[in-house]
Amino acid sequence: MKVLVIGATSTIAKAVARLLAQRGDCFYLVARNGARAQAVADDLVVRGADGAYFEQMDANDIAAHEPMLKRAAETLGGIDTVIIAHGSLGDQHVCEQCVQAMMNEIATNGLSVVALATLVGSYMAERGSGTLVVLSSVAGDRGRQSNYVYGSAKALVTTFLSGLRQRLHRRGVCVITVKPGPVDTPMTAGMEKGLLWSDPPRVAAGIVRAIDRRAGVVYVPGYWRPIMAVIRSIPERAFQRLAL
Amino acid sequence: MRTEDITSWGNAIRGKHLTVAPRSRFEAFPDIPSAGSVLPFGQGRSYGDSCLNIGGGLVFARQLDQFIEFDAQTGVLKCEAGVLLSEILKLVMPRGWFLPVVPGTQHITVGGAIANDVHGKNHHRAGTFGRYVRQLELLRSTGERLCCSRESNAKWFEATVGGLGLTGLIVWAQLQLRPIPGPCVHVESLRFAHLDAFFDLTEECADDYEYTVAWIDCLARGKRLGRGVFQRANHCVSNELVACPRGAVTFPLSLPFSLVNPLSLRIFNALQYHRAGDAVRKAVEHVESFFFPLDRIAHWNRLYGRKGFHQYQCVVPMAVAREAIHALLEIISREGTGSFLAVLKQCGPASPCGLLSFPMHGVTLALDFPSGEGPSRLFTRLDEVVSQAGGRLYPAKDSRMPAHLFQAGYPRWRELSALRDPRCESTFWRRVTQGAS
């Protein structure tokens, strides 16, 4: 399989790529930090990847997306799977005070993702095959006071992918929305870890399973599906009083 | 940066630490300015306080977990220091390679294996882990990155191997692996009736068996003192399909009391000894079950209850080994306390790799004791024997040795002190260097 990974130095993307590397997949890795992208590439090759190329790109530089996708397709000789995994977890409190910080969060976690998904969707539709995997979040299922900026960017992604999946379904393209619960990664380093937290290898295994069975929307770990169903069903009148 | 309550493997010592985790090997030294000092931290598998820096900072190195290069022709592997030995074995064993030295657990980081210059059942032949480190990168708090080997920056290499994390952060290492014919070892177990028999067996088997180790019944007294079961093994090619042990069972929680007590110990030891039988038992085992039997029970340290346990591991020089080990076992068996896992092992003549490497040509004895009043008196008496024999205790297992014993056992400690990173310190180091200027 030929895999393009955007946000390749993110812990979850790395964990997924490691599992795929063991099967001998070939990678094109894109990340904001070139040296770290190269380190991931070296790691994957040692772990069994058939090859790993990398490119430095800032996902917020929308104009860079198209040439990057072209280079990736040329380098790999066609792309089977695209994983979009970049993101940031900005400080909610800062976002409440500073409009620019809030807009940046939405841009990184929402706009840049749907921009990439649009291009990748067209590329795959034209080929008549492919799997697009995008990391959304359970946070996108309902806005909560503790992280609704991040959550609303992910809600944009989730809703966008839902439409894209429907549109591309008959073109042979599989669109997978991955909704991890909280995961112990550097992005969440400053947070208190509770019972429902998961670790990157477990989340990665869930994502690889989803790729293999061409799933639509997956919660990882799976117990988040019923939990979020309950949270979504709480009437707004009651929800606004909760301290979630 | 966070504040976390952290304990080591013995569960007997815990305390608050400020913690950080570098995200990549390209980052600057991950200092914590608000902490008085910092210490690199891998898996926290050291038993006592050598991996702790209570009241100070810890730098979690576990996330430096990337492989950098592997040459399947020569068996040279370069990886970041947070990679686990288990991850290395998973990668290299199917390609016919193995780590030349493995300790009793594979759940430790490469950085931790170097910093404690760990040894295994093949010490008499192979020496310590450090011997197979070709190069390493040391990141100092001054911002310097030193590529250290026996040829370049040799004094830093010697200080960092076995240096307990005190010389700075090990970022990556290049290791020389060894080829193996397959994932199996041919193991022979035989019972021995007393300590002298252990020494005879050790001598007899040293040349023909790559791996030797003995479990001993630490409660046996009189003529039976030092009886136990001797294991000797070699890598082998097997036609039988030997299953790799699957998944670990988890010991779920720490009870308020220890399950290791004089009664359970007596029963376990008698069973263990008599189960072995008179004949030599031969078996083909998977390397994982032979080298890492305790890894099959995750959190086995919880067996000792909430108060935790201490391990006492000493080494005494060959010339006086018989008398010294005899004296130690005498003291322990009279006490009636001790552990399921009492291990006796010969250490070979390989010269130590680091300034503070533990093994010396002689015999090492390791026992676990539940925490409490009793052991500390017992330890003091054991210390006297070790000290008189010219032996020393293993810092990776220690949480209580007196400063004078450390300083006498490790005469080169001042050299390490001079090369220590000005920002790096541990609870252990403060303890064993106090009173010395």
Side-chain angles (χ1 to χ4, degrees):
Chain A
M1 208 163 68
K2 289 160 179 171
V3 187
L4 165 64
V5 187
I6 296 155
T9 57
S10 94
T11 308
I12 295 178
K14 274 195 298 196
V16 172
R18 283 178 179 184
L19 292 177
L20 297 176
Q22 286 168 14
R23 307 175 178 183
D25 288 356
C26 190
F27 296 88
Y28 195 88
L29 308 169
V30 178
R32 203 166 30 157
N33 182 319
R36 288 180 56 194
Q38 173 161 25
V40 176
D42 293 343
D43 178 63
L44 295 176
V45 168
V46 172
R47 287 175 195 267
D50 191 30
Y53 307 89
F54 68 94
E55 173 176 334
Q56 187 171 340
M57 184 191 86
D58 186 336
N60 282 324
D61 180 3
I62 306 290
H65 291 181
E66 200 164 359
M68 176 279 294
L69 184 63
K70 201 157 165 259
R71 273 191 299 273
E74 271 166 20
T75 309
L76 293 177
I79 306 167
D80 303 310
T81 303
V82 175
I83 301 170
I84 302 178
H86 69 276
S88 68
L89 186 56
D91 187 321
Q92 169 71 25
H93 295 295
V94 174
C95 288
E96 287 163 10
Q97 307 303 322
C98 170
V99 173
Q100 194 54 52
M102 185 273 292
M103 301 287 273
N104 290 347
E105 277 299 290
I106 303 279
T108 305
N109 294 304
L111 295 176
S112 74
V113 176
V114 296
L116 281 162
T118 301
L119 285 178
V120 172
S122 306
Y123 169 81
M124 288 181 171
E126 205 168 291
R127 290 182 90 211
S129 71
T131 302
L132 170 62
V133 184
V134 183
L135 270 92
S136 185
S137 169
V138 293
D141 278 16
R142 190 160 195 181
R144 293 178 296 121
Q145 57 187 336
S146 58
N147 71 343
Y148 63 83
V149 175
Y150 177 79
S152 56
K154 292 299 194 184
L156 162 62
V157 171
T158 299
T159 306
F160 188 95
L161 293 175
S162 167
L164 189 69
R165 174 161 42 249
Q166 220 177 23
R167 192 190 114 210
L168 297 181
H169 175 69
R170 40 191 186 83
R171 310 285 294 270
V173 179
C174 170
V175 177
I176 304 176
T177 309
V178 180
K179 297 183 183 179
V183 186
D184 190 356
T185 68
M187 192 170 91
T188 57
M191 300 166 69
E192 281 303 320
K193 312 288 187 287
L195 201 63
L196 292 171
W197 282 69
S198 192
D199 56 10
R202 183 167 178 195
V203 169
I207 294 173
V208 171
R209 245 190 334 270
I211 295 173
D212 288 346
R213 61 181 181 86
R214 296 173 69 83
V217 179
V218 287
Y219 287 81
V220 280
Y223 53 71
W224 281 101
R225 189 181 288 274
I227 294 175
M228 292 318 293
V230 169
I231 289 180
R232 275 198 313 272
S233 70
I234 301 171
E236 198 61 35
R237 194 175 278 278
F239 194 72
Q240 64 188 0
R241 299 206 192 102
L242 295 179
L244 279 173
Chain B
M1 190 186 68
R2 308 180 54 196
T3 305
E4 287 178 80
D5 193 38
I6 299 204
T7 177
S8 58
W9 189 244
N11 275 332
I13 295 173
R14 62 172 64 238
K16 291 253 181 291
H17 295 80
L18 295 169
T19 63
V20 287
R23 293 186 64 168
S24 86
R25 65 174 182 267
F26 308 107
E27 280 179 21
F29 185 85
D31 207 345
I32 309 173
S34 56
S37 61
V38 295
L39 183 72
F41 185 92
Q43 287 280 83
R45 280 287 186 138
S46 295
Y47 287 54
D49 56 2
S50 67
C51 63
L52 299 178
N53 186 19
I54 296 171
L58 291 179
V59 174
F60 287 149
R62 177 66 185 104
Q63 276 178 34
L64 302 176
D65 69 344
Q66 290 181 320
F67 290 110
I68 300 171
E69 215 175 358
F70 177 53
D71 185 335
Q73 246 65 54
T74 59
V76 175
L77 173 77
K78 185 174 168 187
C79 66
E80 293 176 356
V83 171
L84 300 183
L85 302 193
S86 58
E87 293 167 334
I88 293 180
L89 294 178
K90 210 168 118 198
L91 176 81
V92 304
M93 273 175 51
R95 304 183 205 187
W97 295 95
F98 197 65
L99 286 162
V101 169
V102 289
T105 173
Q106 53 178 338
H107 302 310
I108 61 165
T109 62
V110 167
I114 296 171
N116 292 285
D117 196 18
V118 298
H119 61 274
K121 296 174 181 176
N122 58 354
H123 185 273
H124 62 288
R125 295 264 289 265
T128 56
F129 193 89
R131 230 170 120 180
Y132 305 92
V133 177
R134 292 164 55 111
Q135 276 184 73
L136 59 85
E137 185 182 77
L138 184 65
L139 177 58
R140 305 266 295 171
S141 65
T142 53
E144 261 180 305
R145 279 177 192 271
L146 300 170
C147 186
C148 311
S149 66
R150 281 171 195 78
E151 291 76 40
S152 71
N153 290 316
K155 69 169 183 179
W156 293 104
F157 185 83
E158 205 189 6
T160 302
V161 173
L164 304 171
L166 297 165
T167 57
L169 179 67
I170 303 172
V171 178
W172 55 257
Q174 189 190 48
L175 309 174
Q176 177 64 58
L177 307 179
R178 54 155 294 171
I180 50 167
C184 300
V185 277
H186 185 258
V187 189
E188 296 177 5
S189 310
L190 51 160
R191 197 156 88 161
F192 54 93
H194 46 76
L195 192 58
D196 280 336
F198 163 80
F199 280 93
D200 297 343
L201 272 172
T202 296
E203 209 163 301
E204 198 177 295
C205 300
D207 291 339
D208 299 333
Y209 295 90
E210 199 169 343
Y211 302 100
T212 64
V213 69
W215 167 84
I216 50 163
D217 177 356
C218 56
L219 297 179
R221 296 165 66 170
K223 274 191 198 156
R224 295 179 185 149
L225 187 83
R227 72 175 182 180
V229 180
F230 193 87
Q231 275 197 323
R232 54 191 189 196
N234 284 316
H235 288 284
C236 69
V237 191
S238 171
N239 298 324
E240 303 164 53
L241 205 61
V242 176
C244 167
R246 286 251 148 237
V249 197
T250 302
F251 198 87
L253 74 172
S254 293
L255 298 168
F257 53 88
S258 169
L259 290 175
V260 183
N261 55 50
L263 178 68
S264 65
L265 198 58
R266 197 160 289 280
I267 296 170
F268 175 88
N269 280 8
L271 283 175
Q272 183 81 353
Y273 180 74
H274 290 290
R275 199 175 61 113
D278 279 327
V280 178
R281 263 197 318 165
K282 299 183 182 183
V284 174
E285 275 187 51
H286 191 273
V287 288
E288 287 197 13
S289 65
F290 175 69
F291 289 108
F292 318 115
L294 285 172
D295 284 351
R296 314 233 341 242
I297 308 166
H299 299 290
W300 62 262
N301 52 342
R302 291 177 180 163
L303 197 66
Y304 286 91
R306 266 182 221 141
K307 281 195 199 156
F309 69 105
H310 295 279
Q311 183 166 103
Y312 193 90
Q313 181 165 7
C314 62
V315 61
V316 290
M318 205 44 121
V320 295
R322 266 179 210 251
E323 299 74 28
I325 297 290
H326 194 278
L328 291 169
L329 289 178
E330 190 96 356
I331 295 170
I332 293 160
S333 63
R334 276 215 204 108
E335 200 76 15
T337 168
S339 62
F340 294 139
L341 213 78
V343 174
L344 206 52
K345 154 93 200 126
Q346 184 205 12
C347 290
S351 57
C353 293
L355 297 176
L356 296 188
S357 291
F358 163 70
M360 61 166 76
H361 188 204
V363 173
T364 172
L365 172 69
L367 301 124
D368 302 336
F369 297 92
S371 286
E373 290 283 305
S376 64
R377 281 195 309 275
L378 174 70
F379 291 153
T380 312
R381 294 169 60 204
L382 299 177
D383 285 350
E384 280 166 30
V385 179
V386 173
S387 168
Q388 248 175 14
R392 58 192 176 210
L393 303 191
Y394 194 2
K397 308 287 179 72
D398 182 69
S399 48
R400 40 73 45 200
M401 79 167 111
H404 65 83
L405 185 61
F406 171 76
Q407 293 171 16
Y410 295 90
R412 300 185 72 184
W413 73 274
R414 279 177 199 278
E415 290 174 61
L416 184 94
S417 191
L419 295 174
R420 186 171 67 84
D421 189 292
R423 290 289 296 146
C424 291
E425 210 171 66
S426 61
T427 302
F428 173 83
W429 192 250
R430 284 189 287 274
R431 182 164 61 75
V432 298
T433 56
Q434 61 183 265
S437 52

